[in-house]
């Protein structure tokens, strides 16, 4: 299948596009001829991501702040047209036993991963529905499909993202807009490094031991690479994937089914 035949010239939003998974998605979309607006809170990460790539455009914005996202939509859409593709990728993960999670920790994780995903896609929905075209993709997690210990707020937020995706897919089915969630296992990014460092700090294990513990979650015994997620995004954006909606697509080496 020749993915991305139909997406050249489109306009995409990738939240958290300055690093990790988001940067891989932004780069792959730009390579396929898409104009890509990326956002995050750190302007320097966005500038570094956009450097040398004429199709990547950074706008600092916080997904937890509704006005910040509305300002982003206004600036990006007036410069490059309405978003055809919206990727809600920005996210954060912290780990602790559930009884030690403070209300503040809980709210912070839900705010970024769940409310932030809603505020990312909401401003795009009416326009996509009216144009009868669009792709909405959430970067959820295998933690949106099953439970894991010591990450209760993260698991709850990612289950929420999957529920949001299913609701929007049902609501938009007749419009031709598709809505899906990609659910990766551990991906080799800064977020993984943070999880490894947390194990090292809390258990005294070496980095190698901590990485071995985490990669053992994946039956293939490896970490997913950000480019693999970008490949699935390109496929979901293709016209050939127009029947794929309301789906969770696990990229986890068979960790979930
Ligand atoms: P990452 O490198 O830490 O990227 C997270 C991105 O989100 C950063 O670019 C960050 O930019 C942005 N972000 C965080 N809070 C934000 C906010 N309030 N407003 C705007 N942007 C914000 O981690 P990653 O691994 O690429 O994660 C990307 C997505 O993949 C997340 O949703 C994560 O849950 C999911 N995922 C990751 C893994 C994994 O093992 N790495 C596995 C499954 C799913 P700023 O700091 O500049 O704001």
């Amino acid at each position: 299948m020749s993915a991305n035949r139909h997406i050249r010239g489109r306009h995409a939003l990738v939240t958290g596009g300055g690093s990790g998974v988001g940067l891989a998605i932004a780069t792959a979309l730009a390579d396929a001829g898409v104009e890509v607006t990326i956002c995050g809170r750190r302007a320097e990460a966005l500038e570094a991501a956009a450097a040398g790539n004429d199709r990547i455009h950074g706008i600092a914005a916080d997904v937890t702040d509704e006005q910040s996202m509305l300002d982003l939509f206004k600036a990006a859409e007036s410069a490059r047209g309405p978003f055809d593709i919206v990727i809600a990728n920005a996210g954060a993960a912290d780990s602790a036993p559930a009884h030690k999670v403070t209300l503040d920790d809980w709210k912070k994780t839900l705010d970024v991963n769940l409310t932030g995903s809603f505020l990312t896609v909401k401003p795009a929905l009416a326009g996509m529905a009216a144009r009868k075209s669009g792709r909405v993709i959430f970067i959820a997690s295998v933690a949106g499909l099953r439970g894991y210990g010591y990450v209760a707020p993260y698991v709850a937020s990612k289950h929420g993202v999957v529920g949001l995706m299913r609701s929007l897919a049902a609501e938009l089915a007749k419009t031709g807009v598709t809505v899906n969630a990609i659910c990766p296992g551990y991906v080799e990014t800064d977020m993984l490094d943070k999880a490894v460092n947390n194990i090292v700090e809390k258990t005294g294990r070496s980095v190698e031991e901590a990485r071995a513990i985490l990669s053992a979650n994946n039956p293939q015994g490896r970490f997913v690479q950000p480019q693999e997620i970008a490949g699935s995004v390109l496929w979901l954006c293709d016209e050939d994937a127009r029947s794929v909606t309301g789906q969770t697509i696990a990229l986890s080496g068979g960790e979930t089914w």
Side-chain angles (χ1 to χ4, degrees), residues 16 19-21 41-42 61-63 89-91 140 154 158 184-187 189:
S19 66
V21 170
R41 294 159 303 175
R42 292 165 300 141
D62 184 336
V63 296
N89 163 78
Y154 187 74
K158 293 296 187 178
Y186 277 111
V187 188
T189 69

Side-chain angles (χ1 to χ4, degrees), residues 232-245:
S232 293
V233 166
L234 287 180
W235 166 62
L236 286 171
C237 289
D238 194 88
E239 194 57 21
D240 285 347
R242 63 188 176 280
S243 295
V244 182
T245 193

Side-chain angles (χ1 to χ4, degrees), residues 34-151:
V34 175
E35 295 295 324
V36 187
T37 297
I38 58 172
C39 82
R41 294 159 303 175
R42 292 165 300 141
E44 64 283 9
L46 301 174
E47 279 160 26
N53 194 324
D54 292 347
R55 292 208 182 96
I56 299 184
H57 316 276
I59 298 180
D62 184 336
V63 296
T64 67
D65 179 337
E66 184 167 30
Q67 192 56 52
S68 175
M69 293 311 286
L70 292 174
D71 291 346
L72 175 149
F73 267 74
K74 196 170 174 193
E77 293 193 327
S78 61
R80 281 171 284 281
F83 287 120
D84 307 290
I85 298 164
V86 173
I87 319 282
N89 163 78
D94 276 315
S95 68
H99 70 276
K100 288 194 176 165
V101 173
T102 65
L103 179 58
D104 195 40
D105 296 335
W106 172 267
K107 283 183 176 167
K108 266 191 203 155
T109 303
L110 270 286
D111 256 11
V112 178
N113 294 349
L114 181 53
T115 307
S117 292
F118 175 63
L119 295 178
T120 295
V121 305
K122 184 189 165 192
L125 299 177
M128 284 183 175
R131 293 191 300 281
K132 298 204 173 301
S133 156
R135 294 286 189 265
V136 175
I137 302 171
F138 296 96
I139 307 305
S141 167
V142 285
L145 302 173
R146 49 155 285 198
Y148 293 86
Y150 308 107
V151 280

